[in-house]
């Protein structure tokens, strides 16, 4: 009995496949007509009308399933049409103009803004990105953005996420507020050491200072210290300088091994981070949209409505085009009712027309859309 039922299903599947093939041929014809007239890729009104019509023709208990099937058909149809269309949006237009300028070579020398003081991890990341980096230091992340915005520095280097404690949301917020672009990124292994004035012993320490991210990355180690006060400062290099200038033998900091030599401190204990695979991604930002070859990673922020299937529909757009998502993270939008901003990183090249059309479609569908950049990540 089961075999007979499956044979009937197989026969129906063959008919569905043949009809789908016929439908997609017509979809291509529609795309070619749209390319002549400049009609938008997406026609939500027509899609709703189709769903309304076909769901009336099926049993009540499968109406919802039928809608889901057609949602998928629409996504695959748009993905197929995007091969033959040039969708437009403000961001897609800006990308097209940037691509027309030709492939750019990433500079070897530049003036670079970093948060902190000499020896900070941002400093180390900048020196890894640029062979000759003329670095200016600023107290906070906003200072870095302002320096680049006003032309004081060509580029800024900022942490964007850590493998242990996640994204640096303040930087994402500033990216959206100032409309900057990522032009390159670097993944830096972060090794924290407990530093203090030379000859200081671990038992003598009564206070540890560092950046809040470093403190979180070393929580397990800090729990082993007894009767120790924890103090947050702006960054790990500043913490090392504070210890060096204090002369106190009961004060220590969590900082990089490089800061020990830079500020004349002793290493009380090395590698005190909780994870041996503790990495931080740093981004290099520019005020202008620049695409330095080879640019294989794309980042964006997209707001999605709080309704069933909104995220799934968006993910389907990537799946249909075979684009590999490397990051997906959500965050509630301030002053909204259950609205979320989603951070997307995916592998792709802007020269690909389908990728450009995807960006245009996402921008058209989203109440808030921010293109963060197309870039390469170096190790």
């Amino acid at each position: 009995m089961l075999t007979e039922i499956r044979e009937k299903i197989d026969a129906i599947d063959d008919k569905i496949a043949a009809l789908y093939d016929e439908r997609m041929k017509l979809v291509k014809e529609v795309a070619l007509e749209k390319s002549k007239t400049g009609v938008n890729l997406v026609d939500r009104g027509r899609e709703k009308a189709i769903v309304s019509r076909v769901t009336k023709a099926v049993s009540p208990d499968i109406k919802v399933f039928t809608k889901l099937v057609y949602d998928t058909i629409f996504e695959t149809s748009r993905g197929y049409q995007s091969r033959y269309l040039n969708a437009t949006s403000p961001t897609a237009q800006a990308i097209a103009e940037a691509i027309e300028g030709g492939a750019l070579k990433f500079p070897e020398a530049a003036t670079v803004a970093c948060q902190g003081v000499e020896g900070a991890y941002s400093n180390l990341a900048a020196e890894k990105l640029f062979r000759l980096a003329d670095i200016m230091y600023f107290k906070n992340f906003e200072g870095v953005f302002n320096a680049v915005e006003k032309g004081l520095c060509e580029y800024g280097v900022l942490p964007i996420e850590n493998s242990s404690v996640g994204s640096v949301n303040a930087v994402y917020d500033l990216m959206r507020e100032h409309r900057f672009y990522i032009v390159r990124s670097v993944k830096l292994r972060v090794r924290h050491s407990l530093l203090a004035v030379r000859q200081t012993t671990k038992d003598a320490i009564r206070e540890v200072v560092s950046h809040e991210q470093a403190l979180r990355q070393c929580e397990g180690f800090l729990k082993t210290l007894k009767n120790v006060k924890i103090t947050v400062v702006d960054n790990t290099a500043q913490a090392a300088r504070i210890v060096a200038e204090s002369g106190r033998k009961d004060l220590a900091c969590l900082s990089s091994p490089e800061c020990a030599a830079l500020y004349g401190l002793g290493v009380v204990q090395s590698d005190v981070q909780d994870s041996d695979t503790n990495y931080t991604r740093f981004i290099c930002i520019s005020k202008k949209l620049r695409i330095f070859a080879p640019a294989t990673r794309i980042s964006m922020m997209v707001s999605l409505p709080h309704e069933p299937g909104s995220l799934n529909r968006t993910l389907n757009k990537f799946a249909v085009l075979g684009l590999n998502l490397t990051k997906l993270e959500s965050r509630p939008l301030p002053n909204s009712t259950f609205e979320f901003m989603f951070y997307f990183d995916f592998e792709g090249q802007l020269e690909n027309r389908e990728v450009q059309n995807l960006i245009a479609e996402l921008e058209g569908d989203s109440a808030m859309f921010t293109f963060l950049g197309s870039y390469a990540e170096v190790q």
Side-chain angles (χ1 to χ4, degrees), residues 162-176:
N162 176 264
S163 58
S164 298
V165 297
S167 296
V168 184
N169 289 321
V171 173
Y172 275 115
D173 291 342
L174 288 166
M175 287 287 292
R176 183 163 53 88

Side-chain angles (χ1 to χ4, degrees), residues 75-376:
E75 291 294 347
T76 57
S77 297
R78 287 197 292 271
Y80 187 47
Q81 284 188 352
S82 69
R83 297 180 179 182
Y84 307 99
L85 291 171
N86 288 316
T88 58
S89 73
T91 298
Q93 182 62 35
I95 289 171
E97 292 172 1
I99 292 173
E100 285 176 7
L104 302 174
K105 182 181 178 181
F106 193 77
E108 293 188 344
T111 55
V112 184
C114 290
Q115 185 264 343
V117 297
E118 187 178 4
Y121 286 107
S122 293
N123 173 189
L124 302 180
E127 291 179 345
K128 197 168 184 179
L129 286 165
F130 298 93
R131 294 185 67 181
L132 297 170
D134 182 10
I135 299 175
M136 299 182 67
Y137 297 98
F138 297 87
K139 183 177 180 180
N140 51 40
F141 295 148
E142 188 155 12
V144 173
F145 279 89
N146 288 334
V148 179
E149 190 162 40
K150 294 175 181 177
L152 190 61
C153 295
E154 296 172 84
Y155 302 98
V157 173
L158 298 146
I160 195 69
E161 67 176 333
N162 176 264
S163 58
S164 298
V165 297
S167 296
V168 184
N169 289 321
V171 173
Y172 275 115
D173 291 342
L174 288 166
M175 287 287 292
R176 183 163 53 88
E177 179 183 339
H178 290 269
R179 296 310 297 259
F180 276 59
Y181 300 98
I182 304 171
V183 295
R184 187 142 291 194
S185 70
V186 60
K187 189 162 65 172
L188 196 70
R189 185 182 179 190
V190 176
R191 298 176 56 207
H192 296 303
S193 294
L194 185 68
L195 310 181
V197 174
R198 296 184 189 278
Q199 309 305 319
T200 297
T201 64
K202 184 177 176 180
D203 292 339
I205 295 170
R206 291 294 173 266
E207 183 178 5
V208 175
V209 297
S210 195
H211 186 268
E212 61 179 339
Q213 287 268 345
L215 294 169
R216 289 171 62 190
Q217 293 163 24
C218 302
E219 283 181 344
F221 169 75
L222 291 173
K223 289 177 181 178
T224 67
L225 303 178
K226 306 301 181 184
N227 301 317
V228 171
K229 176 185 177 183
I230 305 299
T231 302
V232 177
V233 296
D234 289 337
N235 60 78
T236 55
Q238 184 188 39
R241 188 167 70 179
I242 289 171
V243 173
E245 292 176 353
S246 74
R248 290 170 49 189
K249 290 196 172 184
D250 65 340
L251 180 65
C253 67
L254 296 174
S255 192
S256 67
E258 289 82 358
C259 281
L262 186 63
Y263 292 102
L265 298 173
V267 178
V268 180
Q269 188 168 332
S270 299
D271 292 322
V272 297
Q273 65 276 355
D274 295 338
S275 172
D276 290 332
T277 55
N278 185 31
Y279 288 88
T280 295
R281 279 184 65 213
F282 290 84
I283 56 172
C284 179
I285 61 169
S286 168
K287 183 62 180 172
K288 296 180 181 179
L289 173 55
R290 294 169 174 166
I291 304 170
F292 295 106
T296 57
R297 181 190 290 255
I298 298 170
S299 296
M300 61 182 69
M301 293 189 288
V302 182
S303 67
L304 297 179
H306 183 61
E307 62 184 35
S310 62
L311 177 58
N312 184 59
R313 287 194 297 271
T314 302
L315 294 178
N316 280 341
K317 299 179 194 299
F318 291 91
V320 164
L321 298 178
L323 297 172
N324 181 39
L325 281 170
T326 57
K327 178 177 181 177
L328 171 59
E329 187 173 324
S330 65
R331 190 173 161 221
L333 281 169
N335 304 316
S336 67
T337 305
F338 300 113
E339 293 279 340
F340 286 84
M341 179 68 79
F342 287 82
Y343 308 137
F344 291 92
D345 285 0
F346 65 97
E347 295 172 350
Q349 295 181 312
L350 289 180
E351 291 81 4
N352 186 328
R353 181 191 294 182
E354 294 174 354
V355 172
Q356 293 180 35
N357 288 344
L358 171 65
I359 291 170
E361 185 180 348
L362 290 172
E363 185 169 23
D365 287 347
S366 175
M368 296 177 65
F369 175 89
T370 303
F371 176 74
L372 296 176
S374 177
Y375 54 96

